[in-house]
Amino acid sequence: LLPVSCLLAIHYIRTGTVISGGVLREMTGKSELNTLPDSAIASLLDQGVNLGFFHTSPSSIDRKAQRDDLEKYRKVQKDGPLRHSLDINCQLIDCCRGNYYNQEGMINVIIDELSRVGGRTSKSHLCQTLHIKPVFLEAGSPILNMLPLSVQVLGTDFISDIFWMKLREEVSREVEENGVLDVVKLANQNAIKMDILLEKIISNIEGVTWIEGSQELVSNDYVQKVRSSIIQHFQSLEEPVVVAKVCSEHSWDVRLALDWLVKQTKNEEVKGEVHMDTESMNLSTATFTPSSYTKIQHDAVTKFLEANGYISKARALRHGLSLFKIDQLVKEYHEDVIILDDVLIIEHIVLQKVQASIDLCSETGISDLQEDIPVELIRRDIIFELLKRAKLSSNQCIPVISQGKAVLVAKHFRNEVRNTVLLPLVQSYAKTRAEEIIDEKRKQETNDDDDEIRNHGGKKTKPRSRKTKDKYSNKHVEGAGVVPLHHVAQRMIDRYTALSIVDADEDDIASSGEGFTWEDEDDSGFLLIEFCKCVLYTDTFQSQCQSAVLAELKRLESAKVSKARLSRKEAATKIRNVDSAFEDCFMDLCYLIQASSKFQLFVSGCKDVFEEAVANELQNELLLGYCADLTSRITQYCLYKHEEEPLFTFNSKIEENMAEDNTLNSSLPSFCTEMDFTATQPIRSYLSCPPPREPLPVLRECLDSNKGVALARQWVLCGGESYRGGVRISEEDGASYVREGSIDGFLSHVQENCLTLCGLPFKKLDKKAEKQLLFRRKMALMTMLQATTDPAKALDLTIMLLFQQVKHLVVYGKHLRGAILNALVEEKKISESVTGVLQGLNDRIENGLSISEGYLNAAKGCGLCKDIGKHEIDFSIE
């Protein structure tokens, strides 16, 4: 057994008994301490235990610890501790009142103090209560590491489990009473971080739910109430909504709402679908689509597909459906569903429209795909795939596509453009380019001569050989090039303004100019430019340019040597084959005559509108116009073939000068010039010859094999006013007698004799040819109407266009604004407003009244409209 003094010293060191150094020395120095009974010692130990200074079981101290503590105690007895030591590792902690704690005793005091104050106190409060320096409770102090798990240090506060237990009870009580608790507010009130609060409080409370999105703690009853509200609200919806927006309006947690919605839509308690990006899990973009709305959208999509045969991804998304889902939906009804790029297509419906465009192209020469195919399908990859599925061959039509615009071009229209646009341009280009090459060649030869003189001491050697000259010529021909693209585009604008393919104007071409090149593979943005590159820029075209330049070079070289001029026949056939040119105009006239004769049948059936005198004048206009024109051309062609001297004239005195000018400006004979479909008054042909003889007898004599007789008969059938000698003056009363013509007789005659006369059979007007003729005539009339500012001419062209649109008949002549207009306005498709504009404009013209630009444009708009039955007039012009 140890003496009492040793026992007290051991407990002082081990338990931090608060006894001043002087009292301790005094106690240990008294001998009576050694004689204290065991009961006194036990009482002293109990008191120390109660005060938290002693261990309850001193016997638990091992003997080595006793020996170490005795040595420390003797040292303390001898030297005493440093009263103001700030060593945080010091075993004795000065309480600033002459007393000391050891580390374990201080921890016990801290625990007792926390129990006394409710489980939470500040560091400053503990320092003040224990009378110790703050350094012993700051970071790094071993006291903090020795604290039990039931005590935590949060910032400057010491918190025990007692505090957390009380806080949990308060939180549980408030959630039960109010149903919801704002955890952020709770954290701020208690100055505790959210993660610690969640760990210590919320995770240990039963019967509550933590809503992360709204940072709230709610009771299970409250959760059920909110869940019921959310379910009821979404069950009542009829249109798609953004879930996050709805939750924000009702202060609902998005995550909980989506979780419930997904579950309830699966078991069909809520009828609808939740759409959410599962990859990014972005809750703000999640949407809910009610089943009722989906059905409406399904019906709308199905209806749109049945009507149009396609639906794009963008349109599908506007209906809240994906292409994949629509594909599954439509395949229940249609098996030929395909997806091209981002467009779903019902093949047979769209291909019907594609085929309609192909058929129209074959008939008229060109068709605008946008009239049959929606713009969403006008994309290069889609169009080519559709045309491939429609089994379109390159011999039928050629597609031209540019930035949402597309047309189909038929082979015969391409040939027409080549003949009417490219060939004249090639010849003019050949002349210009050949002259440039000659100039370049001369400059090169001059430079070579100068170099040669300098190299040979001022003397010129022998002239170049023929082989050397040919070498120069071949070198320049290789660089002959082709007609510039912008020249071709400009000529197309001039000739085909009304066509859908001409989507550029003069300013567009002028602004880009030489920026348009044949070899540029990029999309220019203009259908016209892409048409030229795709359709016109062929090996044949390039070869024609090369050949034309070479031919012009040879002509210039020949002219330079011989100074000889070409014969009349050579000049006429230089640019274009006369036979081919004549055949074109011959065919057009055949068609125009037959189309005009249909109008004569219409006139004969409308005697209430067309009086007999008017009907006769309309018949004479046909005979003296197109019939006499055909006869005139055949006559001139026969004379040209027989190389007869020019004995006849074929124009009336009024048009004679104009015809001569046209002949001078044209590289072809006058009988090969193109037909003018826009003429409101067809030019009359008039056969004459130098007096005193009349032309018909001369014609019979100059052509053999009965050709002269057949031609004379044909002139007679045109009527006496078409040739000199056809009108006789009576010697008795001076009256004029005109030999009458016959449309039926003329048609019968040309059908029998054209093949014999000119080697070409009279061309019958079938349905296909009629459609092509009417289309070309419409385009020409519309181009002329757009350009004119003359009210009278604008009204004539409008009447011609409308009559062709409504009745599919060719009309012209001096009665356009008379009987023909009266017949037009009686048609059902002509509304009262259109009638008012046309007749009002006619009255103003006849009475010489002023005509406003608005009134003129209103009349022109009638002629330019696609469907006069649906055309509306802006009455503000009145």
Side-chain angles (χ1 to χ4, degrees), residues 143-156:
I143 297 297
L144 300 184
N145 295 331
M146 296 172 65
L147 291 171
L149 295 177
S150 60
V151 179
Q152 300 90 37
V153 180
L154 301 180
T156 61

Side-chain angles (χ1 to χ4, degrees), residues 23 45 172 217 259 388 435 460 550 639 663 744 815 840-841:
V23 172
L45 291 175
S172 180
L217 198 64
D259 184 50
K388 178 181 177 181
E435 291 174 357
K460 186 175 180 180
L550 181 59
L639 294 172
T663 303
D744 294 336
H815 292 287
L841 180 59

Side-chain angles (χ1 to χ4, degrees), residues 638-687:
C638 290
L639 294 172
Y640 166 79
K641 283 292 187 180
H642 286 75
E643 298 184 1
E644 295 289 342
E645 292 297 324
L647 300 175
F648 303 94
T649 59
F650 295 89
N651 300 95
S652 63
K653 293 182 179 180
I654 298 176
E655 284 90 17
E656 199 167 313
N657 295 332
M658 183 172 64
E660 290 178 2
D661 292 341
N662 290 338
T663 303
L664 291 174
N665 294 330
S666 174
S667 58
L668 294 173
S670 59
F671 60 85
C672 294
T673 55
E674 297 178 24
M675 288 300 305
D676 181 11
F677 292 106
T678 64
T680 57
Q681 298 285 343
I683 296 175
R684 294 189 177 187
S685 295
Y686 185 79
L687 179 65

Side-chain angles (χ1 to χ4, degrees), residues 14-34:
R14 300 289 289 176
T15 63
T17 303
V18 183
I19 303 175
S20 67
V23 172
L24 182 60
R25 284 193 292 273
E26 182 179 351
M27 290 176 63
T28 55
K30 291 181 178 181
S31 58
E32 59 266 18
L33 282 175
N34 295 322

